[in-house]
Amino acid sequence: MKTTERAIPAGLLLVCLFAALPLWAQSPAEAPAETLHRRNIDVSLLSAVDTVVPGRSFDVAVRLAPDPGWHSYWRNPGDTGLPTRIAWRLPRGGHAGPIEWPVPVRVNFNGLINYGYNGDVLLLTRITPPKDLKPGTAWPIAAEVNWLICKDVCIPGSGRVALTLHVSRDGTAAASRWTKTLKKARQQLPRTLHVPKARFHLADAMIIDLPGISDRVDPGAPLHFFPVDKGIVDNAVDPDIHWQNGGVRIRVPKSSEFQGTPPGHFNGLLVVGRGEARHGFYFEGREDPSPIPFTEPGGTGGIGLVYALLLALAGGFILNLMPCVFPVLSLKILSLIKSGSHEPRQRRLHGLAYTAGILVSILVFGVVVLGIRAAGESVGWGFQLQSPWFVAALTYVLFIMGLVLSGLIEPGASLTRAGNLLQSHDGLAGSFLSGVLATLVATPCTVPFMATAMGYALIQPAPAALAVFAVLGLGLASPFLLVAFVPALARHLPKPGRWMQTLKQFLAFPLYLSVVWLLWVLNRQPDAKLLAQVLIGLVLIAFALWLWRLAGGRRALAARILAVAALLTAIGLLPGLGTPVPPASRNTAPAGADTEPYSKTALDNALAAGRPVFVNIGADWCITCKVNERYALDSKAVRDAFARHHVLYLVGDWTNGDETLTRVLRSFDRPGVPLYLLYLPGRDNPLVLPQLLTPDLIVAALNDHS
């Protein structure tokens, strides 16, 4: 009997278990659940709020979390695959928007190119409840989800996920534990890029033209393209993308399977940046029946690497004529004259050491620029002069070198050897450091040929970019290198004599003028104490050298300790310079000109009103800029021409860096300043003027194109 009594409950239990099995089997797919478990993937429904406000929209997201190595698909899956589908089940009066797709990646699946997501992805949707909900009542939401995930094989799946929210009693939406996650996901969604003149032409390839987007898209960042419309372009071929005249050109081969006529409209996604810093921009282009000219990647008028290298070599050679570089070159030439009794092998070693100093420093500079560019920042030639710290340090170096040339530091003491190291012929280290110094003082200058070459380099892969930097360095080193290696040139050098000492002392004055110029650059900072700090530092340097020179006898140690303390104090003032604050604008306009600081709004408004616009983007430390402003832009002929044509003069100040101006420079393939643009009403692209201006050139440009 006991056995029977025990058997009855057991039998009843088995009956209950079998009766419940259909419910359990149904529960993950149909019963309300926050997370749905399926083979190789979890699917969840997340809400940004716990309580809803009648009539007020909120974000929800279907989260696909596949196992490692599996991927799901974007709205356009590419060569294979299927996009995720979501069918919303909302109470009466509720409305669900479309899926808002995150930025995808290219996925190589067994040789086929797909567009999708590796790992977790949040598919956001905007939900709007009706306005007549009663406070405190339940408001359930559910979604039927269909997906496809692939690894070595593809597994389709489907299921139902659901949540029950409640209507707010106090008219405020209570945040959920997913609020921050969904807010961040929304911030990373692609935005719509309005390009009224976007166009495309479809023949053997599709060429897409997105003009005038440099003010909204960073020209220094990597670019990627994803077609939104399916089946038109060949997904397997990496598209060619480059900047040209402030816009982006995209070329991608047509799909071999596309046999129809070109569509009237084409939708795409332009992705800017890498990794976490990627941003997407949706665009729509209209068909242009006429072919669109397409230039090679690089956006520099179709130039190739070989041409860029030739331009870099010529530009580096011309840099030797700039006022900061010329004294350094002259000193090295003087060292060869003084060492006339040395054997040719020794002269060649000095030439190689000088060249090595230039190449090492300019390649280090190039690596830094490329590294900053890879991190998503925009920099250009001479960017380090936007730092007051660097300007002050260079001021110290040129001041000390000027004192050496003036004879304040005389042979004999150890400080003398340190000072003479920069211009000594006796040590190869001096030639190497002279090369480093030549590179440092050359960076404020941009000369003809060089701008195009550097513009090409800054948008190329690292090997090509560094090759252009290296050849620029060879051009800078070439005059001294030729004199050192070509005996015929060396024989034409004058013989050593007392004139050399006089010339060496004379060369100190261009360096002193360079010091004055650098101090003027510091004086352009809004913080007036920066100039005072550096001036005090220069006095301390001179005081330290004076003490060291006078040190002698029993008090020599004390004098030298004071000298070192004064020198360390001068150096200690450098870190206190801090971060620059950009001034409001540069006062570089011609007298009487209608002038404003550069902005895209001011430019667009002037063009809409039918006015020509002259854009001057420069910097206070740019010598070429100052020469052009003094002798061309402020001439009477240019002032009269600007007044006659009612030109608006827009001034862009790149002295301390400016992200907007950097994007403009990059959009015209310029690594640095100056950049001069003449915009004329009714013309799509501006006239880009040369970096060396003359009054006649500016006046002719206005007359010929107006």
Side-chain angles (χ1 to χ4, degrees):
M1 187 66 181
K2 290 182 179 179
T3 303
T4 303
E5 291 176 353
R6 291 177 180 175
I8 292 174
L12 290 173
L13 179 61
L14 287 175
V15 171
C16 294
L17 288 172
F18 280 111
L21 279 177
L23 296 176
W24 289 352
Q26 186 182 21
S27 173
E30 296 181 4
E34 185 180 354
T35 301
L36 180 70
H37 302 284
R38 283 290 188 267
R39 183 181 174 189
N40 298 109
I41 190 173
D42 289 343
V43 182
S44 307
L45 179 58
L46 315 179
S47 173
V49 299
D50 281 338
T51 61
V52 301
V53 177
R56 184 181 301 175
S57 301
F58 61 95
D59 280 333
V60 296
V62 171
R63 179 186 180 189
L64 304 180
D67 291 345
W70 294 80
H71 64 268
S72 58
Y73 292 90
W74 186 48
R75 58 190 297 181
N76 175 7
D79 289 335
T80 61
L82 293 170
T84 302
R85 305 295 183 190
I86 303 174
W88 290 97
R89 303 289 183 260
L90 304 177
R92 182 180 58 84
H95 173 74
I99 297 175
E100 300 187 63
W101 300 88
V103 175
V105 296
R106 288 170 65 93
V107 180
N108 190 328
F109 181 60
N110 296 326
L112 300 173
I113 298 300
N114 298 326
Y115 306 131
Y117 309 100
N118 292 313
D120 290 13
V121 63
L122 294 176
L123 303 180
L124 266 67
T125 299
R126 199 76 174 159
I127 301 290
T128 305
K131 296 180 179 180
D132 57 356
L133 296 180
K134 294 182 180 180
T137 59
W139 204 69
I141 61 174
E144 302 287 346
V145 186
N146 291 268
W147 64 84
L148 179 68
I149 57 171
C150 296
K151 189 179 180 183
D152 298 325
V153 297
C154 290
I155 302 176
S158 63
R160 183 174 186 269
V161 288
L163 284 174
T164 298
L165 306 174
H166 288 81
V167 181
S168 172
R169 295 181 182 274
D170 58 3
T172 60
S176 74
R177 65 191 180 102
W178 301 110
T179 301
K180 292 183 179 179
T181 301
L182 269 59
K183 181 179 180 181
K184 181 179 179 181
R186 175 160 293 281
Q187 291 172 345
Q188 295 175 339
L189 287 175
R191 302 189 294 273
T192 299
L193 185 66
H194 296 285
V195 190
K197 296 183 180 180
R199 57 180 179 154
F200 74 92
H201 177 76
L202 183 63
D204 294 335
M206 175 177 280
I207 296 178
I208 303 168
D209 188 21
L210 304 176
I213 64 172
S214 60
D215 59 328
R216 291 163 286 172
V217 177
D218 181 5
L223 298 177
H224 308 275
F225 165 74
F226 295 88
V228 174
D229 297 331
K230 305 176 186 177
I232 301 177
V233 301
D234 189 345
N235 302 309
V237 179
D238 289 336
D240 293 324
I241 311 175
H242 72 275
W243 285 93
Q244 181 171 311
N245 294 332
V248 167
R249 289 279 174 91
I250 303 170
R251 182 184 187 276
V252 58
K254 184 181 71 173
S255 171
S256 59
E257 299 178 0
F258 182 79
Q259 302 298 330
T261 59
H265 297 267
F266 179 80
N267 295 282
L269 177 68
L270 183 68
V271 178
V272 183
R274 293 190 181 97
E276 293 287 333
R278 293 193 311 159
H279 299 285
F281 299 90
Y282 285 120
F283 65 85
E284 180 184 19
R286 296 177 179 271
E287 186 207 1
D288 189 339
S290 60
I292 299 174
F294 182 78
T295 58
E296 293 298 320
T300 52
I303 76 169
L305 177 60
V306 174
Y307 187 44
L309 295 177
L310 292 174
L311 293 177
L313 186 67
F317 181 86
I318 296 174
L319 276 175
N320 286 281
L321 302 178
M322 302 309 289
C324 290
V325 184
F326 186 74
V328 180
L329 175 64
S330 300
L331 290 174
K332 295 315 301 174
I333 299 294
L334 285 177
S335 71
L336 279 187
I337 295 174
K338 191 174 180 181
S339 61
S341 59
H342 289 194
E343 59 181 10
R345 177 179 175 274
Q346 191 68 15
R347 292 200 301 269
R348 290 194 293 268
L349 286 176
H350 280 285
L352 291 174
Y354 179 76
T355 304
I358 290 178
L359 290 179
V360 168
S361 54
I362 205 166
L363 287 175
V364 168
F365 176 84
V367 168
V368 171
V369 169
L370 295 178
I372 296 175
R373 185 190 70 177
E377 299 293 332
S378 297
V379 293
W381 180 259
F383 79 96
Q384 69 274 32
L385 282 153
Q386 295 168 352
S387 165
W389 189 95
F390 184 88
V391 174
L394 187 58
T395 303
Y396 282 7
V397 170
L398 295 182
F399 182 64
I400 293 174
M401 191 173 176
L403 295 178
V404 171
L405 298 184
S406 295
L408 179 62
I409 305 177
E410 296 179 350
S414 56
L415 264 183
T416 299
R417 290 192 295 270
N420 281 336
L421 193 59
L422 290 174
Q423 52 92 29
S424 171
H425 66 274
D426 295 327
L428 296 178
S431 294
F432 181 89
L433 291 178
S434 293
V436 173
L437 180 62
T439 304
L440 291 178
V441 298
T443 50
C445 308
T446 304
V447 296
F449 308 118
M450 174 186 156
T452 303
M454 297 307 297
Y456 174 89
L458 291 178
I459 56 175
Q460 297 302 311
L466 292 178
V468 175
F469 274 99
V471 172
L472 179 71
L474 285 176
L476 182 60
S478 59
F480 183 70
L481 197 61
L482 286 172
V483 171
F485 269 79
V486 179
L489 293 177
R491 284 195 295 268
H492 284 85
L493 295 177
K495 296 181 179 180
R498 295 185 60 184
W499 66 269
M500 294 176 55
Q501 185 66 20
T502 302
L503 178 60
K504 187 177 76 168
Q505 293 173 358
F506 172 79
L507 289 174
F509 293 98
L511 295 180
Y512 291 143
L513 289 175
S514 299
V515 169
V516 172
W517 160 65
L518 290 171
L519 292 173
W520 179 79
V521 171
L522 283 174
N523 189 46
R524 296 284 292 165
Q525 297 290 332
D527 190 352
K529 72 177 183 181
L530 300 183
L531 178 61
Q533 284 180 236
V534 176
L535 287 173
I536 292 172
L538 295 180
V539 173
L540 288 172
I541 289 172
F543 181 64
L545 296 176
W546 177 75
L547 283 174
W548 196 275
R549 182 181 180 185
L550 293 183
R554 286 179 286 181
R555 298 183 179 180
L557 180 60
R560 292 185 177 182
I561 291 175
L562 285 175
V564 171
L567 189 61
L568 292 177
T569 303
I571 296 173
L573 291 172
L574 293 180
L577 293 176
T579 304
V581 179
S585 64
R586 288 162 56 235
N587 183 21
T588 61
D594 187 2
T595 309
E596 293 183 25
Y598 175 85
S599 70
K600 188 65 167 56
T601 301
L603 175 63
D604 291 342
N605 290 343
L607 293 178
R611 294 187 63 184
V613 180
F614 186 90
V615 176
N616 172 6
I617 300 179
D620 287 336
W621 40 259
C622 169
I623 298 174
T624 308
C625 304
K626 295 304 169 188
V627 172
N628 287 332
E629 289 160 7
R630 174 65 181 86
Y631 295 103
L633 292 171
D634 200 30
S635 65
K636 185 178 186 302
V638 171
R639 292 199 304 268
D640 292 344
F642 278 12
R644 185 167 60 253
H645 293 281
H646 305 288
V647 174
L648 174 63
Y649 191 105
L650 296 182
V651 179
D653 186 4
W654 207 56
T655 301
N656 297 319
D658 181 280
E659 188 63 29
T660 298
L661 297 179
T662 302
R663 288 197 295 268
V664 176
L665 289 169
R666 286 295 180 86
S667 69
F668 289 94
D669 301 328
R670 286 292 173 86
V673 290
L675 174 64
Y676 305 110
L677 307 172
L678 179 59
Y679 287 87
L680 297 164
R683 298 178 182 270
D684 292 339
N685 297 316
L687 179 65
V688 182
L689 299 180
Q691 291 185 303
L692 292 178
L693 299 178
T694 64
D696 291 343
L697 186 150
I698 300 172
V699 173
L702 277 170
N703 292 335
D704 294 345
H705 294 83
S706 59

